[in-house]
Amino acid sequence: MSEPVECALCHQPIRSAAAKERRIGSGCWRKLTPAQRSAIRRNPRGIRAALNQPVPATDGQLPFGVET
């Protein structure tokens, strides 16, 4: 049997294979920003560096464009 894996954020046991690979449980994964998720996908060992990325000051809405 393999060794149990804990979530790096909430320290709860992880069960799914995808969550074990990224070392973050699905509940915590949904709380991350898209930029943090992509950084963790690129380098699962760099979780702390990805979490320390500054969160953008926008509300998530893309700009419509400049009106003239």
Side-chain angles (χ1 to χ4, degrees), residues 2-61:
S2 66
E3 194 172 312
V5 178
E6 288 185 349
C7 175
L9 301 176
C10 67
H11 304 290
Q12 296 294 319
I14 297 175
R15 292 180 185 88
S16 75
K20 285 180 181 179
E21 184 177 323
R22 63 181 180 240
R23 304 187 66 83
I24 295 180
S26 59
C28 294
W29 184 253
R30 288 188 295 266
K31 296 176 187 176
L32 299 176
T33 64
Q36 290 172 325
R37 290 179 191 175
S38 68
I40 292 171
R41 281 187 196 112
R42 283 192 305 268
N43 182 10
R45 300 288 180 214
I47 292 172
R48 289 291 154 201
L51 296 177
N52 290 332
Q53 288 182 353
V55 177
T58 63
D59 61 358
Q61 180 74 30

